[in-house]
Each structure stands twice: as C-alpha cells, then as structure tokens.
C-alpha cells in the first residue's frame, strides 16, 4: 500500500502522466497495441491528482456513471483490488472502455483539474485501463450466482451493448442466451476495432468472463433469418436487441464499385475478424495498395487509414470534407495517426473514383471545400469551391462515411415501431413498442460509441429485471 | 459445430453434402443460402441451400470445389464437422404461377437452379429446364430435375451429352417458338452465361430472374462487398438478393468485381 500523503498544494503540482507508447515508426508496421499502459507508480501518482472535488462532474460525464473518484481514491492508496471491485461493479467492460472511450469528450472533459485553461484533466481513461488490466491479471474467473431465477432472457448481438446487458442480467441470476450472427462473439469489438487499439485477447477475456457467469453464447444465429423475434418472445421472458451498426453508406459518386473500393466495414472485417493481414492459404484475401485514401473523419475512418498503413501503404491518406476541428474521431487516435505518418487532407470531398481500363481503382477526383454556416449537426457546413477539382492517385479507396439501419431483423418483425431512418424506437427504459422487448446501441441510436451502447445495455438490463419482477 | 451426414460426388469436383443444421433447415425457403466456414481461420463461403428437411433438421449443399476453401469443405466426410453454418440468408425466391417458365442452369449453377425450378413447378408452372456443362460428367441433377420438368434439355460444349454447344442456343429456339415462349426465365450459372441469356430474353421481352453469387464476407448486409448495380442502383446480393431482375443487372461490373482476388497477392504492390 502506498502511504504517501499529499498536501493539496503537492497534489495540484503533479503533472499529468504520459502514456508509454510503442515507437511510432515501428508500430506503423505492426498490429501490436499502441499504448503500452502505465507503470504502477505512475498510476498511483496520477490518481493522486484527483482532488476528490465535491460535485464529481466526471460521474455525470460518464455514460455508465462509473464512481470515478471512488476508484481513483483506491488507486491513490495502491489498493488496486479495491479499485477494480468498484470499477467492475459499475462498468461491464472496463478494459475495453479504458481503451476506446472518447474520454476527452466525457469524464475528462468535465474534470475540474482540466478547467481554467492551462490545467489538464486526470487521466481517467488510462487509469481505468490500468485497473481493468490489473483486475484481469489478478482476479479469478467470476462465479455465477448461487441461485438462478426462473426467467430466460435473450440478447440479440454480442457487441458492447449485448455483452453489458448479458453480464448485468447474469449477475442477478437470470438465464441469459446471447445470439450472435457472426462466427465469433464481440460485435464491433471483434470485427471493427483493430488489434492495435483493442487487442482481441481483451475481447476473448470479456466473453470468457460472461460464459463463466453462466451466459450462453450461440454464434451463427442471424436473428431475423435463423430465428425471428416472434420465436424469441415465445421461448424467452424478455429480449434485448443490440444487433448493431447496420449497412454501410457509400458516397454515391461514379466509380464506387471499381475493384479496390471498400466500405470501412468490409476492409476492417476482412482484417480484424477474418485475419486477412496474415496471408495463408485458405484465408480471406485483402488488397494491398501503395496509396490508400480513406473518406470520413470518425473513428472508423481513423481505424481504416491506420490499418492501411500497417498493411503496407507507403501513403495512407485520410480525406475529410470538413476541417480538423469538426472531426468526430477520438483525439488520441488523431495524435497517434499523425505520429504514424498518416496524411490528413481536410476540406476535400470526393467527386468520383477513377478506374483504369481493367476496372481497378487508379485514383480519386476531389473537390476543395470551405466552411459555411453551421448545419443541423451544429458543425459548419462544407461548401464546394468551384474550379478547385483535382485528382489524387491511389489504388485502394475506403469509404467510412457512416452506416444506416440494417433492416434484416426489423423486416421480419413488423410490430416493432421504427423511426423514419429505420432505427428501433424505445422509451426511457429502452423498451420497444413490444412489451418485454428492449433495444439499444446503434440499432436505436444510429452510429454511436461503444460506451453509449454499453449505457443502453446497462439501462435495459435494469429495466428488464424490473419488468420480469412484474410478470 | 455442424455434422456432415452424407457426402457424395455428383460430378468432377462437385459434391452433394447433407449437413445437420436444424434451425437453418426449419427457417429455410427456396432461393436462400448459408455462409459456411470450415474451421478456425478459414474463409466464409456463401453456398446455396439446394434442399432442406425441417423434420430431420438437415440441409443439402451442392458445392463445386473451385478453390482451396471449397476443396477443403468437400473433403469433409460423413461423420466429420463444419465449424460454422449461418443462415438461411438472402431473400426467398418469389414464385408465381405465370404459366410457362424456362429454367436454365450452367455448371454448378444447376444446383442453385434446382430449388427454384422445384418451387416454380410446385406453384403450378409448366417448367422446361435447360442444363449445360463442359462435358457429360459435368451435367448434374438431370434426373432430379426431370421429376417435375416437362422436359430437361441438355447441352455440352463437347457434344458428349445432349446438344453440342451452349444453353443459350437451346433457349433461343424456345424463345423464338411462339408455342413454347415462356412468361418467365430463371437463369443461374457463370456470369458470362447469365449475361448471354439476358441478351436473348431482353430481345424477346421476357422477364428474367438471375441468382447472383458475388464475393461476400458476412452475408448480413454489414460489409457491402457483394454490391451489384441493378437498375442503376447499388444492391447488396446478401440481403437484397441473391435473385435479381436479370434485365437490370450490370453484368460487366459484376464480372469485373468477381475477378478482384484472382491474383491479389501481388496485384497492387507491383511485385
């Protein structure tokens, strides 16, 4: 136990720690994790930067309301087991969120240490990761509850929303079955987020922990096709739909079906889920290009462009139609990408993908943009600059401009009320228009984040438990 | 794990496999497919469900071993296992009683055609079937199709069985004969064959349904790798298909995209 006591002045004098990172030039050529984690002494000192302020804005800034000051206090004392117990009680997937949450827009944005212009917030995300990893290394597998209820709950999708709900419900003692459409559990954590941001051993461990709790996971079950929601409601007492991100949007410009144009979903799935980075006979193939251009400005675009660099592109270019300030991507990813030699082209929009006479991508035609007045999203709208068109040579183009709701499940369940974009409508308790059927994550929100899906899963689990008690 | 119950050779490199997959068997309708992944690390391969027995809980797959992954799948003997079978995927065939229909199958496409032709016959249509292959051993399912077809016409490229030449020549004769001209044509086979058929049926103004098998990864609409242009719009074969209005399909683009990974290893690195 670390007994060092800090005076308030000493506490305020501690500078925010630095994350140990894999060397940028080396990591641009491998898939190993970029962030190497904090050392124990560094974590303890960083946690001592928390002044245990009265209003605790960080808790309100967290979509799953982790008791951040409480777990930081334990870390500050060197009581990692105590910290892990608090963290794990509030957050089903802390090793994941510690790595992929946009902390700078959540807990850390509102941290009082970051206020006043020159201050820097406590590194809550890095400490969350430290404690979660410590927990995984030291804790034994979770023990299922001694008694089970008589209730059966089905979860559709094993992404962050589904896994969170499954864990919460299994801990209460409900009998939980998760249906996953793909051949491996994890959803976007498996097929979407690359190894260098979220090692798959973390996902494996989270899934194994749920199975140890008694959660049954059935892969290769495509709800809406293999079984329907009607079948689920006749066999289960409640259901949570968290089937995820849906159908990729394309650019609607000429040349989009040329060989060498991928949706980010396809590119990342081939590499992350299907391990195309490791060429072996019988493996899923992937195109490797000298120059790759990725369209978009979000986390998926960042994952795509950084992955293409690791797949051997000497130029990996992110083309975004707004400016840096409007990029939705996580700040740390942008910093990492720049260090890795990713080229950013801001204020450019695609006009066409250009092909050669054999149908292969040979480049893209772009138009320069300038920022006009704000649009519906509150961000300044990009406006084309006439006469500014230019061509950029590339062999692979990746489209990462968002997704729309996948009708695969909802088409076979007409009673499910949808909004005009095809997303499922829910009430404040995540319940859909069908009693006992709840939904959350991207199928409700459109494209969102891991932590928001987890928040939905947590809220839905509590509501499902309450609903079951009324049955 | 999905147990292989039977595995027989129908033609050179073409196997008929019966696999235990009770949920798929129960839900399956003609025209749908499954995604099969033999083992950890293997590709996901889309395969049409040729037949299903919901009572026995089995599905029948007819597989042409064209590449390493399919060769490995057909090497699994009865009693062996396939790691992943997901489905049934895609839309079911829309079958109406339109009177006369002609079903055209080329090579292993005949396996995909089989459930469509059977469903067309069940709906009360008079079914004429044309199947073709490189030579006699490559002509599959002739007897099975004969059970519900008014006639089964066979073509082989070398003339070793039936008419020498391609299925298109036989189809053209039927389209030109007012007494035999169908209200609808179903065509499944290599992209070039389907494109050639559509050329004929467009001239004859006959509705034509084709079943497409483009490159696919997840099979649930998530990746868009299987996109095809139909009537000027992007469609995903996995969720919007696999059957489409043949007269509206951009076959040139489809054929191009099919070749994406023909020699992918060195294509773009310039090695």
């Amino acid at each position: 136990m670390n007994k060092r006591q800090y005076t308030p002045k000493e506490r305020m004098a501690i500078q925010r720690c630095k994350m140990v990172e894999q060397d940028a030039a080396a990591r641009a050529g491998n898939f190993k994790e970029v962030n190497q984690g904090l050392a124990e002494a560094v974590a303890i000192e960083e946690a001592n930067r928390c002044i245990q302020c009265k209003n605790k804005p960080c808790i309100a800034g967290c979509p799953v309301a982790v008791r951040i000051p409480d777990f930081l206090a334990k870390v500050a004392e060197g009581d990692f087991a105590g910290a892990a117990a608090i963290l794990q009680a509030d957050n089903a997937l802390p090793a994941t969120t510690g790595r992929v949450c946009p902390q700078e827009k959540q807990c850390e944005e509102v941290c009082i240490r970051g206020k006043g212009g020159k201050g820097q917030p406590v590194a809550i995300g890095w400490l969350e990761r430290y404690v979660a990893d410590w927990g995984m290394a030291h804790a034994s597998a979770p023990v299922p509850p001694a008694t089970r209820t008589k209730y059966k709950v089905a979860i559709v999708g094993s992404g962050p929303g589904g896994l969170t709900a499954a864990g919460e419900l299994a801990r209460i003692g409900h009998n939980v079955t998760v249906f996953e459409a793909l051949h491996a559990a994890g959803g976007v954590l498996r097929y979407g987020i690359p190894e260098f941001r979220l090692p798959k051993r973390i996902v494996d461990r989270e899934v194994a922990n749920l199975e140890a709790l008694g959660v049954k996971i059935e892969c290769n079950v495509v709800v809406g096709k293999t079984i329907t929601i009607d079948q689920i409601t006749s066999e289960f007492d409640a259901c949570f739909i968290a089937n995820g991100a849906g159908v990729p949007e394309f650019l609607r410009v000429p040349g989009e079906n040329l060989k060498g144009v991928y949706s980010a979903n396809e590119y990342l799935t081939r590499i992350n889920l299907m391990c195309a980075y490791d060429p072996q006979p019988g493996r899923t193939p992937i195109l490797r290009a000298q120059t790759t251009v990725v369209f978009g400005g979000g986390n998926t675009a960042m994952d795509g462009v950084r992955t293409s660099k690791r797949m051997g592109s000497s130029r990996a270019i992110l083309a975004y139609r707004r400016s840096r300030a409007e990029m939705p991507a996580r700040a740390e990813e942008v910093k990492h990408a720049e260090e890795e030699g990713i080229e950013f082209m801001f204020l450019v929009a695609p006009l066409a993908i250009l092909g050669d006479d054999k149908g292969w991508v040979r480049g893209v035609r772009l138009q320069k943009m300038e920022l006009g007045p704000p649009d519906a999203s509150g961000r300044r709208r990009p406006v084309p600059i006439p006469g500014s068109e230019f061509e950029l040579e590339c062999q692979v183009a990746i489209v990462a401009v968002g997704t729309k709701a996948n009708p695969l499940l909802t088409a076979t369940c007409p009673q499910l009320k949808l909004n005009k974009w095809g997303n499922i409508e829910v009430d404040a308790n995540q319940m859909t228009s069908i009693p006992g059927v709840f939904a959350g994550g991207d199928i409700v929100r459109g494209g969102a984040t891991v932590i928001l899906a987890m928040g939905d899963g947590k809220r839905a689990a509590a509501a499902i438990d309450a609903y079951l008690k009324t049955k | 794990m999905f147990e292989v119950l039977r595995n027989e050779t129908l033609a050179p490199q073409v196997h008929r496999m019966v696999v235990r997959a009770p949920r798929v068997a129960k839900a399956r309708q003609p025209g749908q497919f499954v995604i099969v992944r033999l083992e950890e690390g293997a590709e996901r391969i889309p395969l049409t469900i040729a037949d299903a027995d919901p009572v026995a809980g089995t599905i029948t797959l007819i597989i042409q071993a064209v590449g390493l992954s399919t060769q490995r799948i057909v090497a699994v003997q009865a009693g062996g296992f396939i790691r992943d079978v997901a489905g049934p995927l895609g839309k079911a065939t829309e079958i109406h009683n339109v009177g006369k229909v002609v079903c055209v199958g080329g090579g292993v496409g005949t396996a995909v055609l089989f459930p469509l032709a059977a469903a067309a016959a069940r709906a009360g249509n008079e079914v004429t079937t044309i199947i073709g292959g490189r030579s006699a051993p490559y002509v599959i399912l002739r007897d099975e199709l004969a059970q519900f077809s008014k006639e089964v016409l066979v073509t082989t490229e070398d003339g070793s069985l039936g008419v020498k030449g391609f299925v298109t020549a036989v189809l053209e004769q039927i389209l030109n004969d007012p007494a035999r001209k169908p209200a609808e044509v179903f065509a499944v086979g290599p992209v070039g064959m389907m494109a050639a058929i559509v050329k004929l049926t467009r001239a004859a103004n006959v509705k034509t349904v084709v079943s497409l098998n483009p490159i696919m990864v997840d099979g649930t609409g998530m990746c868009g790798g299987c996109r095809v242009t139909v009537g000027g719009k992007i469609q995903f074969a996995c969720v919007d298909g696999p059957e489409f209005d043949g007269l509206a399909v951009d076959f040139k683009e489809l054929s191009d995209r099919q070749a994406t990974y023909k020699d992918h290893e060195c294509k773009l690195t310039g090695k």
Side-chain angles (χ1 to χ4, degrees), chain A residues 179 181-183 191 218-222 225-227 231 246-248 250 256-263 265-266 269-270 273-274 279 281-290 358-360 395-396 406 408, chain B residues 2 23-24 26-27 32 37 41-44 68-69 72 83-91 215 217-218 220-225 227-229 234 236 239 253 256-257 259-261 264-265 267-270:
Chain A
F179 295 113
L182 293 172
H183 56 256
Y191 73 76
E218 283 196 49
C219 291
N220 298 312
V221 178
V222 185
K225 290 289 181 186
T226 315
I227 54 174
Q231 282 169 277
V247 177
F250 283 89
E256 275 197 303
N257 296 343
L258 289 164
K259 289 172 285 187
V261 182
Y262 287 109
S263 75
N265 272 3
E266 180 181 1
T269 298
R270 282 178 181 271
L273 176 73
M274 305 309 296
R283 257 296 135 89
T284 299
I286 189 89
L287 298 172
R288 293 166 189 260
Q290 282 175 349
K358 301 249 170 59
W360 292 95
Q395 299 83 38
V396 162
N406 191 336
L408 196 76
Chain B
F2 297 80
R23 281 203 177 113
V24 181
K26 201 171 162 198
Q32 292 187 299
R37 181 172 167 269
E43 279 186 278
R44 293 168 64 90
L68 187 63
S69 294
R72 285 177 176 171
R83 193 184 183 285
D84 302 293
V85 176
L89 299 168
K91 287 187 175 160
I215 290 166
V217 184
D218 63 288
T220 64
M222 189 188 83
C223 87
R227 62 194 185 277
V228 288
T229 301
I234 289 184
F236 292 0
V239 288
E253 179 190 277
D256 237 22
R257 286 182 62 80
T260 304
Y261 299 104
H264 72 279
E265 293 289 85
K267 185 86 202 176
L268 294 177
T269 45

Side-chain angles (χ1 to χ4, degrees), chain B residues 8-187:
Chain B
E8 57 187 325
T9 307
L10 280 188
Q13 275 106 51
V14 179
H15 287 240
R16 172 158 45 198
M17 297 176 80
V18 178
V19 179
R20 190 187 303 285
R23 281 203 177 113
V24 181
K26 201 171 162 198
R28 174 265 181 184
Q29 293 172 279
Q32 292 187 299
F33 65 94
V34 284
I35 296 256
V36 171
R37 181 172 167 269
L38 176 62
E39 59 198 355
E40 203 57 71
E43 279 186 278
R44 293 168 64 90
I45 306 284
L47 296 168
T48 302
I49 307 168
D51 208 350
D53 183 339
V55 180
T58 61
I59 56 171
T60 302
L61 304 173
I62 295 179
I63 306 162
Q64 184 176 31
V66 283
L68 187 63
S69 294
T70 41
Q71 280 163 18
R72 285 177 176 171
I73 291 169
V74 302
V76 180
Q77 296 306 310
F81 289 88
I82 294 172
R83 193 184 183 285
D84 302 293
V85 176
L89 299 168
K91 287 187 175 160
T93 306
E94 276 184 43
I95 299 280
H96 306 285
N97 187 347
V98 293
K100 290 195 186 74
V101 303
V102 172
C103 295
V104 192
V108 78
T110 302
V112 180
L113 181 76
F114 176 76
L116 310 189
R122 266 200 307 278
N125 292 290
E126 181 191 297
V127 177
T128 299
T129 304
I130 310 169
I131 52 176
R134 209 181 310 166
S135 61
Y138 292 91
V139 175
I140 59 170
L141 300 175
R142 187 188 184 188
D143 297 341
E144 287 89 338
L145 286 160
Q147 288 171 11
F148 51 78
S149 302
K150 182 169 166 257
E151 56 179 336
V152 178
L153 303 162
V154 176
T155 68
T156 50
E157 288 169 41
D158 64 358
S160 55
L161 187 68
V163 177
K164 184 173 181 198
F166 294 99
V167 288
T168 39
V170 176
L171 176 65
E172 192 168 16
Q173 284 176 9
I174 296 176
L175 292 173
N176 288 337
D177 180 351
R180 297 166 81 196
K181 189 175 173 180
E184 196 166 344
V185 169
F186 289 91

Side-chain angles (χ1 to χ4, degrees), chain A residues 401-421:
Chain A
V401 296
T403 59
K404 54 188 183 227
N406 191 336
L408 196 76
L409 180 149
T410 52
T412 59
C413 190
Q415 321 89 290
L416 213 47
K417 204 170 159 209
L418 309 179
N419 68 15
K420 62 177 170 174
W421 298 283

Side-chain angles (χ1 to χ4, degrees), chain A residues 288-312:
Chain A
R288 293 166 189 260
Q290 282 175 349
T291 302
T292 301
V293 173
V294 180
F295 294 105
N299 285 315
T300 308
M302 296 298 300
D303 286 345
V305 75
R306 295 175 69 201
T307 296
S308 72
K309 186 83 184 174
R310 285 159 170 78
M311 293 298 289

Side-chain angles (χ1 to χ4, degrees), chain A residues 427-445:
Chain A
D427 66 15
N429 289 320
Q430 309 293 138
M431 185 135 94
T432 67
S433 53
I434 306 174
V437 177
F438 299 73
D442 280 2
I443 192 62
V444 168
R445 295 171 175 273

